[in-house]
């Protein structure tokens, strides 16, 4: 699992908590397939000791803390470092100082007898790859959205039968909402929630929408001494554990009024429940909401590439309205460029269609594809465009020239959106086969560079006991079968602690050796329990100190805990 921005989820995984309904990483398939009968070789050596290190070698000041940590790690007995740097995916655009710093790091590693294992192919966290071309983002479809011409501009409009409004215009009368927990009170347009003590705090409203349309919600939030996430959940009717919005809100423990934006695609749903939620039943403090609104999101984050067309027709007549003839070419200049190339924001003013000689009141049917973010700005690159494969191959060649590694770590991890993109749909494959094909492609790229190199990958997207199942975030269909692209020679970095024995057995049965990715900024001694619950048949090749918060204070304790167990 990629460390960095998901410390809340990390804590939940390590302590076994599963309150975070927006985190499907810990959701399990109702009936996970059973692994083949295991037949691995018995382990005959103690596992290697790895540590995870994320940095930006473009910044020279980062070398000093790197050296301090690496020297401590070497002294503690670590022999491999999994090195991640978003610049690996765009080495064609870095400054010369980057390569100077990389040379210093390479020399340091040699002096310390540390082997650098570079992380490549950020499939799931693809911002660095998308810096080359933001339009390669995995997109969702909008089909036949209503736009109405006024003063020469086509603007999005609510569809007939939709209920795009909140009761009385806001939080005025709790009885006018579909449901509200007793911990939520409404007065004068403001909702107040005091969660905790085993009490949920939600205000919920059911709305009728149109399938495959994009919507924008805005709400003001104030807090006082609040612990826990403030959520705007979009729950589809009959959707089970599924949601349509997984973007996190940066809400502080104590803050004055601040507006927050949420964008979602209804996909194949015609009714949803909007839930304004204040944390969980063990949260503390107070939360206030005001001024909720919902509207069509227009052409926000529209993707423009040949495989993702913009189609416009006159709604009543059905005749095509050609771009460049009846309206100016459309582009969203902020899509994938805010605040830097490869970064996608949740909301900004969308572009409009400037019509040419189109009468006011003309109703247009507009279809297009748009980017969507999850977590705190996370996006996935489409694996189905040839240019994506070119970018992956170019990244591998440049990283190989820089580090000459004997091992590679593929970063396929937490792939939230896959399968709806038109380039994917043209292949008529679900998310699972799409991912399997991409992993085969990435494995082939690395094998072409060095047939003898050891290859590694995160476990979650290839484990039916973890994330490789249906109803995973915004993926189309199921991730079932993703593991068919996992070659037995690839070593799996396993972090499925909630289903540890099942997960170990799954990969063992498929012939894959494993690396235990432990720690996650928790008790360093927990690695002994993970090792105890594994056995020689699981083919444990390595144990890794994995930190999401760049927390290295427990390096020595983790090494001692792992060594004390494996030396018994």
């Amino acid at each position: 699992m990629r460390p960095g921005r998901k410390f809340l989820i990390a804590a939940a995984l390590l302590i076994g908590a599963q309150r975070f309904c927006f985190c499907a990483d810990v959701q399990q398939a109702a009936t996970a397939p059973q692994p083949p009968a295991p037949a691995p070789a018995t382990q005959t050596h103690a596992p290697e000791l790895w540590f995870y290190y994320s940095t930006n070698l473009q910044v020279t000041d980062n070398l000093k803390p790197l050296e301090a940590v690496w020297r401590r790690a070497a002294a503690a007995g670590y022999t491999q470092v999994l090195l991640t740097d978003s610049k690996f995916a765009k080495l064609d655009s870095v400054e010369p100082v980057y390569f100077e710093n990389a040379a210093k790091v390479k020399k340091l590693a040699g002096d310390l007898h540390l082997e650098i294992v570079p992380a490549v192919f950020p499939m799931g966290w693809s911002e660095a790859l998308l810096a080359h071309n933001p339009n390669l983002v995995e997109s969702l479809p909008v089909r036949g959205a209503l736009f109405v011409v006024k003063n020469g501009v086509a603007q999005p409009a609510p569809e007939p039968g939709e209920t795009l409004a909140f009761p009385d215009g806001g939080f005025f009368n709790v009885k006018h909402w579909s449901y509200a927990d007793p911990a939520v009170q409404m007065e004068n347009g403001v909702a107040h929630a005091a969660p905790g003590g085993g009490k949920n705090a939600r205000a919920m409203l059911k709305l009728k929408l149109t399938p495959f349309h994009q919507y924008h919600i805005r709400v003001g939030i104030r807090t006082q001494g609040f612990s826990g996430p403030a959520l705007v959940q979009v729950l589809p009717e009959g959707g089970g554990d599924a949601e349509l919005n997984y973007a996190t809100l940066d809400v502080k423990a104590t803050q004055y009024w601040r507006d927050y934006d949420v964008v979602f695609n209804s996909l194949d749903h015609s009714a949803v429940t909007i839930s304004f939620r204040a944390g969980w039943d063990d949260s503390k403090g107070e939360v206030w909401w005001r001024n909720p609104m919902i509207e069509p999101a227009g052409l926000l984050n529209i993707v423009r590439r040949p495989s993702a067309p913009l189609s416009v027709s006159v709604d009543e007549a059905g005749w095509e309205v050609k771009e460049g003839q009846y309206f100016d070419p459309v582009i969203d200049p902020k899509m994938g460029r805010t605040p830097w190339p490869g970064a996608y924001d949740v909301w900004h003013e969308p572009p409009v269609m400037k019509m040419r000689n189109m009468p006011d009141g003309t109703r247009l049917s507009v279809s297009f594809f748009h980017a969507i973010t999850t977590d705190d700005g996370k996006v996935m690159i489409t694996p189905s465009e040839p240019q994506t494969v070119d970018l992956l191959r170019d990244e591998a060649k440049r990283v190989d020239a820089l580090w000459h590694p004997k091992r590679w770590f593929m970063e396929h991890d937490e792939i939230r959106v896959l399968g709806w993109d038109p380039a994917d749909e043209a292949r008529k494959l679900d998310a699972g086969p799409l991912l399997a094909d991409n992993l085969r492609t990435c494995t082939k790229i690395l094998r072409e560079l060095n047939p003898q190199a050891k290859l590694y990958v995160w476990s979650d997207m290839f484990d039916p006991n973890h994330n490789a199942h249906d109803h995973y975030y915004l993926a189309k269909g199921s991730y079932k079968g993703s593991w068919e692209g996992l070659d037995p020679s690839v070593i799996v970095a396993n972090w499925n602690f909630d289903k540890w024995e099942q997960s170990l057995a799954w990969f063992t049965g498929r012939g894959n050796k494993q690396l235990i990715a432990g720690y996650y900024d928790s008790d360093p001694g927990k690695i002994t329990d993970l090792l105890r619950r594994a056995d020689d048949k699981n083919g444990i090749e390595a144990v890794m100190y994995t930190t999401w918060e760049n927390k290295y204070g427990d390096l020595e304790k983790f090494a001692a805990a792992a060594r004390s167990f494996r030396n018994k």
Side-chain angles (χ1 to χ4, degrees):
M1 183 177 199
R2 176 189 302 271
R5 293 172 290 184
K6 306 182 291 303
F7 61 93
L8 288 173
I9 304 173
L13 284 171
L14 264 293
I15 66 176
Q18 300 201 13
R19 296 183 299 272
F20 292 85
C21 59
F22 61 87
C23 177
D25 294 329
V26 295
Q27 295 173 358
Q28 306 300 327
T31 56
Q34 297 300 309
T42 299
Q43 188 167 310
T44 59
H45 62 280
E48 298 168 335
L49 198 55
W50 292 39
F51 69 102
Y52 179 102
Y53 199 88
S54 178
T55 191
N56 176 5
L57 295 179
Q58 188 75 60
V59 181
T60 302
D61 287 346
N62 289 339
L63 296 188
K64 186 174 181 180
L66 179 150
E67 180 176 357
V69 170
W70 287 28
R71 288 190 179 280
R72 285 176 48 213
Y78 292 87
T79 53
Q80 277 76 25
V81 51
L82 174 55
L83 183 62
T84 73
D85 185 341
S86 65
K87 298 295 192 296
F88 288 173
K90 43 188 177 182
L91 288 174
D92 56 332
S93 62
V94 299
E95 300 295 329
V97 68
Y98 187 95
F99 298 102
E100 297 170 9
N101 291 337
K104 295 176 183 177
V105 169
K106 189 173 182 179
K107 182 179 185 305
L108 174 67
D111 293 343
L112 297 175
H113 304 290
L114 285 174
E115 180 182 2
I116 293 174
V117 182
V120 292
F121 306 151
M123 304 301 291
W125 298 80
S126 306
E127 295 91 325
L129 284 170
L130 288 164
H132 297 273
N133 181 357
N135 287 293
L136 290 175
V137 65
E138 183 76 18
S139 63
L140 300 182
V142 169
R143 299 173 183 169
L146 176 62
F147 281 63
V148 178
V149 178
K150 183 177 180 180
N151 297 326
V153 175
Q155 297 282 14
E159 300 278 0
E162 290 185 333
T163 53
L164 295 189
F166 290 97
D168 313 308
F171 302 102
F172 287 92
N173 190 334
V174 69
K175 295 181 180 180
H176 294 171
W177 284 66
S178 301
Y179 176 81
D181 289 306
V184 176
Q185 303 296 319
M186 298 185 189
E187 186 176 1
N188 298 324
V190 175
H192 172 252
K199 300 178 295 184
N200 285 319
R202 300 162 296 176
M204 308 173 76
L205 183 68
K206 184 175 179 179
L207 298 176
K208 292 182 179 180
L209 303 178
T210 304
F212 296 106
H213 279 34
Q214 183 179 208
Y215 297 93
H216 168 226
I217 296 173
R218 176 170 291 165
V219 66
I221 301 177
R222 181 165 74 93
T223 61
Q224 181 67 44
F226 176 61
S227 66
L231 307 173
V232 179
Q233 296 174 295
V234 184
L235 311 171
E237 187 175 43
D241 294 328
E243 296 183 35
L244 296 176
N245 166 53
Y246 292 99
T248 57
L249 304 180
D250 181 23
V251 177
K252 309 301 182 185
T254 297
Q255 65 176 39
Y256 195 60
W257 289 111
R258 177 182 168 189
D259 286 339
Y260 289 86
D261 296 291
V262 169
V263 172
F264 69 95
N265 190 304
S266 56
L267 296 179
D268 50 359
H269 304 285
S270 58
V272 301
T273 296
I274 309 297
S275 175
F276 297 95
R277 181 168 189 158
W280 313 103
D281 55 13
D282 62 349
S283 296
K284 298 179 181 179
E286 299 175 272
V287 178
W288 292 263
W289 298 290
R290 72 177 183 184
N291 301 333
M293 58 83 70
I294 183 169
E295 63 181 356
L299 298 169
L300 175 72
N301 283 326
I302 182 173
V303 172
R304 303 309 314 268
R305 51 180 152 88
S307 65
L310 166 63
S311 175
V312 182
S313 62
V314 174
D315 191 41
E316 295 86 351
W319 52 269
E320 181 182 3
V321 178
K322 293 185 178 181
E323 186 175 10
Q325 179 179 357
Y326 291 98
F327 62 95
D328 293 346
V330 174
I331 187 171
D332 188 343
K334 294 185 177 181
M335 194 274 294
R337 300 172 177 86
T338 306
W340 51 72
Y344 298 72
D345 58 357
V346 172
W347 171 258
H348 53 260
E349 283 300 316
V352 298
M353 289 188 295
K354 297 181 179 179
M355 309 307 296
R356 301 176 182 176
N357 302 316
M358 189 73 68
D360 279 5
T362 302
R363 296 162 60 89
L364 303 175
S365 177
V366 181
S367 299
F368 61 97
F369 297 85
H370 66 90
I372 197 75
T373 61
T374 63
D375 304 278
D376 50 354
K378 177 180 177 181
V379 287
M380 168 66 176
I381 193 170
T382 176
S384 298
E385 282 284 350
Q387 188 181 349
T388 297
V389 179
D390 292 342
L391 289 174
L392 295 173
R393 182 171 285 107
D394 183 72
E395 176 189 12
K397 288 182 178 179
R398 293 178 187 275
V399 171
D400 185 55
L402 179 62
W403 300 109
H404 303 293
K406 296 179 181 178
R407 314 186 198 210
W408 299 84
F409 198 105
M410 297 180 287
E411 294 190 279
H412 297 67
D413 178 37
E414 296 179 330
I415 299 174
R416 314 290 207 212
V417 185
L418 187 64
W420 295 104
D421 189 89
D424 298 338
E425 288 194 314
R427 302 170 67 185
K428 302 185 185 304
L429 297 175
D430 255 9
L434 284 168
L435 180 54
D437 179 72
N438 176 259
L439 185 62
R440 291 189 196 97
T441 297
C442 291
T443 302
K444 182 174 183 290
I445 289 172
L446 298 180
R447 290 284 183 232
E448 289 172 349
L449 288 172
N450 184 352
Q452 284 75 45
K454 281 190 173 184
L455 307 186
Y456 300 77
V457 71
W458 294 114
S459 64
D460 59 309
M461 299 310 305
F462 309 99
D463 184 355
N465 305 288
H466 204 175
N467 295 339
H469 52 73
D470 56 1
H471 303 300
Y472 182 74
Y473 285 77
L474 300 177
K476 184 179 181 182
S478 174
Y479 273 113
K480 180 180 179 181
S482 61
W483 50 81
E484 297 300 335
L486 180 63
D487 190 274
S489 66
V490 176
I491 300 168
V492 175
N494 200 328
W495 57 277
N496 187 16
F497 310 124
D498 289 322
K499 295 286 184 179
W500 188 234
E501 284 82 6
Q502 296 94 319
S503 184
L504 287 171
W506 170 256
F507 290 110
T508 298
R510 297 196 62 80
N512 296 96
K513 295 181 180 179
Q514 300 178 65
L515 175 157
I516 297 179
Y519 183 58
Y520 292 108
D521 309 303
S522 183
D523 179 4
K526 288 183 178 180
I527 187 62
T528 59
D529 179 60
L530 296 177
L531 287 168
R532 177 185 58 80
R533 291 159 61 190
D535 60 39
D536 288 346
K537 292 181 180 180
N538 294 132
I540 305 300
E541 286 282 293
V543 178
M544 182 164 67
Y545 179 95
T546 317
T547 171
W548 292 354
E549 302 173 19
N550 293 325
K551 181 180 175 182
Y552 293 98
D554 292 320
L555 262 176
E556 290 82 2
K557 292 180 180 178
F558 180 89
R563 190 180 300 110
S564 66
F565 181 88
R566 68 189 190 191
N567 285 340
K568 288 183 179 180

